[in-house]
Amino acid sequence: METQDRLLFSKLFHKHRQVEVTLNRSVLAWKETEKSRKRNRAETAHIHALQVCEIVAVHTKDDDQDNKETRRSRAEAKQTSQLYPHAFTVSYVRRTRLHQWCCSEVMFHSANQALSEQWITVINEQLALLTHRPKSLLVYINPYGGKRRGKRIYEQKVAPLFGRACISTDVIVTERANHARDHLKTEANLDTYDGVVCVGGDGMFSEILHGLISRTQTDNGVDPNQPDAELVPCSVHIGIIPAGSTDCICFATVGTNDPVTSALHIIVGDSQPMDVCSVHHNDSFLRYSVSLLGYGFYGDVLKDSERKRWMGPARYDLSGVKTFLSHNYYEGSISFLPADMGDPRDKLQCRSGCSVCQHKPSSKDTQWEKKEKSDKVGGWRTIRGKFIAINAASMSCACPRSPKGLSPSAHLADGTTDLILVRKCSRLDFLTHLLRHTNKEDQFDHSFVEVHRVRRFNFQPQQNEMHSLEDLTETPKKTGFRPICSAQTNYNSQDSHSSWNCDGEILPHAAIRVSVQPQLIRLFARGIEEQQQCLLEDPCTLWALEPNTHYSVD
Ligand SMILES: CCCCCCCCCCCCC/C=C/[C@@H](O)[C@H](COP(=O)(O)O)NC(=O)CCCCC
Ligand SMILES: Nc1ncnc2c1ncn2[C@@H]1O[C@H](COP(=O)(O)OP(=O)(O)O)[C@@H](O)[C@H]1O
Ligand SMILES: [Ca+2]
């Protein structure tokens, strides 16, 4: 970076010290001047830098300054304000704990009003060049999601940030289930928004997903009932402010469930493509899924938990224990079309800028699929058996309960889903498998678990009439649970079918056809960041550094 690339360079005051401030197209940086450093006997010159793309806003001093600095040294602050009364504040993204962001501020003072205004103008000009940032958002709040804090979370933590970033919003607090979905499907004027934000959990996200996809297909004349239809990607981004019970979609795309972090990802206009599974029963469309499609264990947990909604997020713990103790298994046949790339056990985790997901399936891949379809059996595999759980994870499904998720190496946007088959096994074995979701051990490393990366799959449950004698002898006594090490599992003819847990919603049919639609939607997210993100360039290059001075960089 040569000094001629500088857009602005000035000597200003920051925390009562004179600093050289410099701005180019990508970085805003400042360091104490030599004069000021000598006065403060500082041996090291510290260079601070922040990326322009992570600046939230710039404002005249104003209002906001009940900050720590002012509390620490009111007298000094008063003196600076008197000598250098013209100030501006830059709000920017600061990384705090792992994957967590906050909005920080830095204030610069000047004696010269025109100079202060020039800084504001030039920074704003640079922000205006970031055209991917949303200017107008449609926000839906589920007031009953999670611990029923959605409205408060939005009003106290998110709305002030949107206001600071000059984003205009239309806010709808939902009055019933499917209010947001129906509004998006038929009423919302989507041309006026750059994004739709949902404040709630995975169920609320699912409403937005269905509303947007359905609207997009209707507008483009695509019939979603055709299982082989190529769906049209949605042009409007979706933002998630986590305020639900599991919030797995937020956690797996951002790395944390923090409303402020998510609001900042929306403000900076991050964009993360995501695969969507379309689920059909015969030739009728049932639902879309982006995270978990789970039959058996997760379907039963969800079904049981719906009756305990009043308990809030803790309902899943109780239903989880109950379902685990019931130890049901289900018979059926699963056929799938393996993906030609990647492996669920390759330990290549999907992270921000993931190289696997950069490769959007091309028309060549689609032709390959068509060929597979045309020779009917080519590529398709079928597995019959008795399963405790059949899970399709289109993303890792990481969440606070399971920080690495159901399939730690699943990708957000590779056009595939990881099909995990957990066969009938003892309770102890199943418990060991479940516990491995919460520690570093490999949950797939069991003889009764297999996992396949697939593009499509079909499930057909076993018809009720055929039970082997062995199965019938396994029907449990109604009075209690059998020993924890027992290999026996429950099978009673009334409950011979489970339900599918589709991103937290119960599906009415057991027999389904699933097809992954690559990168059908985009979220205001960037995937999980690997580590503290480095600056695009070394801020030291912004200055001709002085000899015999030690420098340190933020
Ligand atoms: C004995 C220790 C057992 C630990 C098991 C941990 C495994 C947890 C994996 C959880 C995967 C969750 C996938 C996401 C599902 C959500 O879409 C769904 C709805 O979320 P929301 O709308 O926010 O309520 N949540 C669930 O289905 C809950 C599953 C909980 C299972 C215990
Ligand atoms: N105003 C409302 N009243 C009742 N149910 C609602 C309302 N708004 C949304 N819902 C439904 O609530 C369910 C759960 O919402 P969600 O935000 O995912 O919370 P949780 O994570 O606690 O399940 C979703 O199925 C959604 O359709
Ligand atoms: Ca995927």
Side-chain angles (χ1 to χ4, degrees):
M1 161 79 205
E2 299 300 327
T3 47
Q4 64 262 32
D5 290 337
R6 281 175 180 164
L7 297 166
L8 266 184
F9 175 83
S10 308
K11 288 187 176 166
L12 301 170
F13 277 81
H14 169 58
K15 291 188 177 171
H16 332 303
R17 290 173 183 181
Q18 195 183 44
V19 287
E20 289 175 351
V21 190
T22 183
L23 174 75
N24 68 29
R25 289 190 199 291
S26 55
V27 178
L28 171 72
W30 64 98
K31 71 175 173 85
E32 222 176 316
T33 58
E34 198 184 2
K35 193 173 105 196
S36 172
R37 213 171 50 245
K38 278 186 182 148
R39 221 182 53 212
N40 293 311
R41 297 198 185 132
E43 290 195 356
T44 305
H46 198 79
I47 298 177
H48 305 262
L50 47 104
Q51 296 187 72
V52 169
C53 63
E54 293 188 355
I55 292 178
V56 171
V58 57
H59 290 293
T60 46
K61 172 171 112 188
D62 62 14
D63 32 85
D64 46 352
Q65 298 307 328
D66 176 32
N67 61 23
K68 286 180 203 139
E69 176 197 10
T70 313
R71 278 200 293 274
R72 244 197 349 255
S73 173
R74 284 180 195 281
E76 247 183 319
K78 197 169 170 196
Q79 199 187 16
T80 309
S81 295
Q82 280 166 354
L83 288 171
Y84 310 100
H86 305 289
F88 63 95
T89 305
V90 179
S91 312
Y92 63 97
V93 168
R94 186 163 65 83
R95 287 163 177 79
T96 54
R97 276 178 288 151
L98 195 64
H99 309 308
Q100 201 148 325
W101 291 6
C102 74
C103 184
S104 259
E105 283 173 352
V106 53
M107 196 199 287
F108 297 104
H109 292 260
S110 165
N112 181 338
Q113 181 175 5
L115 182 64
S116 180
E117 283 170 1
Q118 187 187 12
W119 271 93
I120 295 174
T121 306
V122 176
I123 294 175
N124 271 328
E125 279 168 6
Q126 292 311 301
L127 296 184
L129 295 176
L130 305 173
T131 48
H132 56 282
R133 289 191 173 196
K135 293 176 189 60
S136 169
L137 295 170
L138 175 57
V139 181
Y140 295 99
I141 304 175
N142 176 1
Y144 302 114
K147 295 181 178 159
R148 302 180 172 223
R149 292 186 188 147
K151 205 159 166 277
R152 206 167 66 200
I153 287 172
Y154 181 76
E155 282 162 3
Q156 293 181 357
K157 298 190 170 182
V158 178
L161 286 174
F162 285 171
R164 199 176 308 174
C166 300
I167 295 175
S168 70
T169 51
D170 286 328
V171 180
I172 296 176
V173 179
T174 60
E175 288 163 10
R176 58 175 173 86
N178 293 325
H179 180 170
R181 185 200 64 184
D182 297 344
H183 186 256
L184 278 169
K185 259 184 172 177
T186 50
E187 277 176 63
N189 181 1
L190 293 179
D191 295 340
T192 58
Y193 302 107
D194 304 308
V196 175
V197 173
C198 76
V199 184
D202 293 340
M204 189 58 190
F205 173 84
S206 185
E207 279 202 29
I208 306 296
L209 176 82
H210 283 80
L212 273 184
I213 299 180
S214 158
R215 175 74 173 268
T216 309
Q217 307 322 306
T218 310
D219 291 353
N220 289 279
V222 177
D223 176 7
N225 287 315
Q226 296 301 320
D228 295 331
E230 201 167 314
L231 301 180
V232 177
C234 301
S235 54
V236 178
H237 278 70
I238 309 177
I240 309 174
I241 302 296
S245 298
T246 313
D247 297 319
C248 143
I249 300 159
C250 178
F251 196 94
T253 54
V254 174
T256 183
N257 284 342
D258 171 52
V260 168
T261 306
S262 291
L264 291 167
H265 280 284
I266 295 170
I267 289 169
V268 302
D270 275 341
S271 184
Q272 173 65 52
M274 291 233 305
D275 298 333
V276 177
C277 283
S278 59
V279 186
H280 288 78
H281 174 77
N282 297 331
D283 275 350
S284 34
F285 165 75
L286 293 181
R287 280 194 85 82
Y288 297 112
S289 159
V290 295
S291 58
L292 167 68
L293 261 169
Y295 186 80
F297 183 71
Y298 291 103
D300 293 353
V301 171
L302 185 71
K303 199 163 184 183
D304 189 75
S305 72
E306 281 301 303
R307 294 189 281 266
K308 301 182 175 69
R309 255 194 183 276
W310 56 271
M311 290 179 69
R315 68 190 185 278
Y316 291 132
D317 299 318
L318 192 60
S319 297
V321 172
K322 198 175 150 192
T323 308
F324 168 75
L325 291 173
S326 301
H327 201 46
N328 290 328
Y329 74 86
Y330 301 94
E331 260 188 286
S333 153
I334 187 135
S335 356
F336 57 88
L337 180 64
D340 49 331
M341 51 185 265
D343 185 288
R345 300 188 69 180
D346 63 12
K347 306 239 184 302
L348 285 176
Q349 292 195 318
C350 188
R351 290 291 177 262
S352 199
C354 173
S355 58
V356 175
C357 296
Q358 309 274 319
H359 170 84
K360 190 178 177 195
S362 65
S363 55
K364 206 167 133 235
D365 300 327
T366 315
Q367 269 161 23
W368 178 83
E369 268 186 54
K370 278 184 184 146
K371 183 178 166 298
E372 295 300 337
K373 239 186 293 165
S374 66
D375 48 9
K376 289 276 192 292
V377 280
W380 282 84
R381 287 187 56 192
T382 300
I383 295 175
R384 285 183 193 84
K386 298 168 182 172
F387 303 101
I388 290 182
I390 296 173
N391 301 322
S394 297
M395 55 161 78
S396 71
C397 294
C399 60
R401 276 190 175 77
S402 170
K404 59 181 184 173
L406 286 175
S407 189
S409 300
H411 289 270
L412 291 167
D414 64 344
T416 74
T417 187
D418 287 354
L419 188 59
I420 306 158
L421 308 178
V422 184
R423 288 177 188 272
K424 181 184 161 192
C425 62
S426 74
R427 275 204 189 89
L428 187 59
D429 279 345
F430 187 52
L431 180 65
T432 312
H433 167 67
L434 284 182
L435 285 175
R436 286 186 182 180
H437 290 80
T438 63
N439 59 35
K440 290 207 161 81
E441 285 184 79
D442 181 356
Q443 63 256 43
F444 302 140
D445 189 17
H446 296 285
S447 57
F448 56 89
V449 176
E450 58 186 286
V451 54
H452 305 271
R453 187 155 288 171
V454 311
R455 292 191 188 280
R456 293 156 186 265
F457 71 90
N458 303 333
F459 177 71
Q460 184 63 50
Q462 174 78 18
Q463 301 307 320
N464 282 354
E465 64 271 22
M466 282 295 292
H467 290 159
S468 70
L469 194 60
E470 183 203 345
D471 288 333
L472 292 173
T473 56
E474 284 176 8
T475 305
K477 292 193 184 93
K478 285 200 170 147
T479 45
F481 301 107
R482 274 162 297 150
I484 200 121
C485 300
S486 161
Q488 292 181 331
T489 40
N490 291 353
Y491 192 109
N492 86 47
S493 54
Q494 276 179 336
D495 293 338
S496 61
H497 294 183
S498 175
S499 344
W500 285 93
N501 174 338
C502 178
D503 293 359
E505 302 296 310
I506 296 167
L507 282 187
H509 299 87
I512 57 170
R513 280 178 77 165
V514 178
S515 164
V516 186
Q517 306 279 336
Q519 306 192 0
L520 196 63
I521 56 161
R522 281 184 174 267
L523 295 195
F524 285 120
R526 59 172 66 171
I528 297 175
E529 284 184 321
E530 200 73 69
Q531 57 209 18
Q532 294 290 78
Q533 225 174 7
C534 330
L535 283 165
L536 300 176
E537 60 186 293
D538 181 354
C540 290
T541 59
L542 294 161
W543 280 278
L545 297 179
E546 292 134 24
N548 306 322
T549 304
H550 302 290
Y551 290 92
S552 76
V553 180
D554 266 355

